[in-house]
Amino acid sequence: MPDLQSTAAHPSSWQASSDHDADELPQLPPFYSPRPIPVSRTISELDLNSLSIHERSIAMALGSTSSSAHEDHDSDSELPGLVSPAFTPPSTPGTYTPSHHHSQHIPKSVPVDSTAVNGGCGQKKPKLLDRLPDVNCVVRARIPTTIGGSGTEMFLHLYQNSEDNKEHLAIVFGNEIRSRSLDAPREGETEMDRLIRGAYSGRLYPGRTTSKLPDENGQSADNREKQGEPPLVRIHSECYTGETVWSARCDCGEQLDEAARLMSMPGSGGGVIIYLRQEGRGIGLGEKLKAYNLQDLGNDTVEANLLLRHPADARSYGLATAMLVDLGVKDIRLLTNNPDKVRAVEGPNREIVVKERVAMIPLAWRGKNGGIRSQEVGGYLKTKIEKMGHMLQMSENS
């Protein structure tokens, strides 16, 4: 293998180095980048965006394939800006670089059973509604996304309910999960009405006039067979500050992005993100901003809520359960660190059964680019673990 630094520092030596390389290197004009050095298995599993190319860590990573890299490396030398790696690292969430030994990160999955004392759901039993609220999917639309950079699509479902006047959402990845209330016929509606509100099969296209496909044969969400493992589900509460205005006080935006990435991965089987409009753990945006000021005065996130005479967590999940039932989902794999959420989502009569809990480990703890690193988010996560019982170790690594 040619020496990385000497090759880059002396372009005129590229031709001469071919005596030591099995491949014949053509003489390229100076505006071309030199031939990429084959990447070892060690470095192929690193994110090259996170490496400084003039640091000694590069030479150490390449040490398994060339011992001379350690001997000849000059820490003060830098490679030309045109030098390109053997592959282009991903810059869009959800994409990955093909390699023989590269795989996307799959979080840990832990079997849970809320009926057992030690079933992995914590010791507290959240108060559940006596009955699930009534929900109705009003409209569904196909949304092409930027996730993965390859045109991943999802279906956005908008729900109304009997408990409040808010518009809660179900973000559905995949074509197999459908809303029963959306598909149900409505009095006096035409085929065009059904197409407009999203009660159709397949895809819309100019000139389409019927909501069913010719080969559908009356198949519905009630009798459609579900195959494979239970779908991934994330119950996510609205967080304007974390999702829209780049707040580093919490990891809500990061968790939403990660859930979407996992559900859009090839072979994932899709999944559902239930997006509930209960800002600030149920206290609203205005009270949440007051809580932020109290945090700056030295209180943690739980103490701040209590000082404002709110519960530490005022959220409820009955709507999420009812929406999942409407979507025809029974067994799920739940993306959460919150043991209370496992029991609460299952509903008063276990209408939903959580088979596995999939941990949501912060990207910064996994050494990933893009993870939130701040004093505020560190204290926030510490409080959730110590005071709210979240199942996450501060030293946990995946």
Side-chain angles (χ1 to χ4, degrees), residues 217-236:
N217 296 324
Q219 189 182 36
S220 68
D222 292 313
N223 57 25
R224 187 180 296 111
E225 290 187 11
K226 302 295 189 299
Q227 297 178 351
E229 61 183 353
L232 275 174
V233 170
R234 166 76 183 164
I235 311 299
H236 189 88

Side-chain angles (χ1 to χ4, degrees), residues 58-368:
I58 288 288
M60 295 178 64
L62 291 172
S64 61
T65 60
S66 174
S67 59
S68 63
H70 293 290
E71 300 170 0
D72 300 333
H73 177 70
D74 182 357
S75 61
D76 296 327
S77 64
E78 294 189 11
L79 296 178
L82 285 176
V83 173
S84 60
F87 57 81
T88 302
S91 59
T92 305
T95 61
Y96 68 99
T97 301
S99 73
H100 295 296
H101 290 268
H102 185 89
S103 60
Q104 291 187 333
H105 172 77
I106 304 296
K108 296 176 181 177
S109 180
V110 180
V112 294
D113 183 0
S114 62
T115 63
V117 176
N118 298 318
C121 302
Q123 300 301 318
K124 294 189 294 182
K125 292 186 178 181
K127 183 179 180 180
L128 303 177
L129 299 174
D130 294 332
R131 60 181 297 273
L132 294 180
D134 296 325
V135 297
N136 178 45
C137 183
V138 179
V139 64
R140 176 190 76 142
R142 180 183 63 88
I143 307 292
T145 74
T146 59
I147 303 167
S150 58
T152 298
E153 297 180 347
M154 58 82 165
F155 285 93
L156 186 61
H157 298 63
L158 185 145
Y159 277 85
Q160 294 178 345
N161 68 89
S162 59
E163 299 298 311
D164 59 42
N165 294 321
K166 299 177 181 178
E167 295 177 330
H168 302 274
L169 304 169
I171 304 168
V172 177
F173 293 86
N175 298 315
E176 299 302 317
I177 299 174
R178 298 187 60 89
S179 163
R180 295 170 177 170
S181 60
L182 179 75
D183 287 340
R186 298 181 183 176
E187 184 177 357
E189 71 175 353
T190 65
E191 281 294 287
M192 184 55 65
D193 293 332
R194 292 184 63 81
L195 293 177
I196 292 173
R197 64 181 181 86
Y200 62 85
S201 301
R203 294 175 67 93
L204 294 181
Y205 52 83
R208 181 169 175 177
T209 58
T210 61
S211 59
K212 292 184 178 180
L213 295 175
D215 58 350
E216 195 170 359
N217 296 324
Q219 189 182 36
S220 68
D222 292 313
N223 57 25
R224 187 180 296 111
E225 290 187 11
K226 302 295 189 299
Q227 297 178 351
E229 61 183 353
L232 275 174
V233 170
R234 166 76 183 164
I235 311 299
H236 189 88
S237 296
E238 179 181 25
C239 178
Y240 178 83
T241 51
E243 297 160 9
T244 308
V245 296
W246 317 285
S247 170
R249 288 183 180 269
C250 66
D251 61 341
C252 300
E254 178 182 301
Q255 288 187 331
L256 182 62
D257 291 345
E258 179 69 358
R261 185 189 71 84
L262 291 171
M263 294 177 191
S264 63
M265 284 172 51
S268 68
V272 181
I273 299 175
I274 300 293
Y275 189 91
L276 300 177
R277 313 304 288 271
Q278 42 187 11
E279 177 76 52
R281 294 204 299 272
I283 67 174
L285 183 56
E287 294 298 284
K288 176 182 176 178
L289 296 180
K290 294 178 184 178
Y292 282 171
N293 291 330
L294 284 170
Q295 290 172 36
D296 285 344
L297 289 171
N299 302 282
D300 63 36
T301 180
V302 169
E303 293 166 348
N305 276 29
L306 297 177
L307 286 171
L308 291 171
R309 299 181 180 179
H310 296 299
D313 191 343
R315 294 174 294 181
S316 62
Y317 299 103
L319 282 173
T321 308
M323 291 164 69
L324 288 172
V325 170
D326 180 68
L327 290 168
V329 176
K330 175 64 177 176
D331 297 339
I332 67 172
R333 292 178 294 142
L334 189 63
L335 280 161
T336 186
N337 301 320
N338 186 351
D340 291 345
K341 193 178 289 186
V342 173
R343 296 183 187 274
V345 167
E346 290 194 326
N349 299 303
R350 295 198 82 197
E351 287 86 354
I352 302 297
V353 176
V354 179
K355 291 292 187 180
E356 297 177 1
R357 181 183 66 85
V358 181
M360 298 287 286
I361 301 173
L363 296 180
W365 295 10
R366 306 203 307 255
K368 299 290 184 180

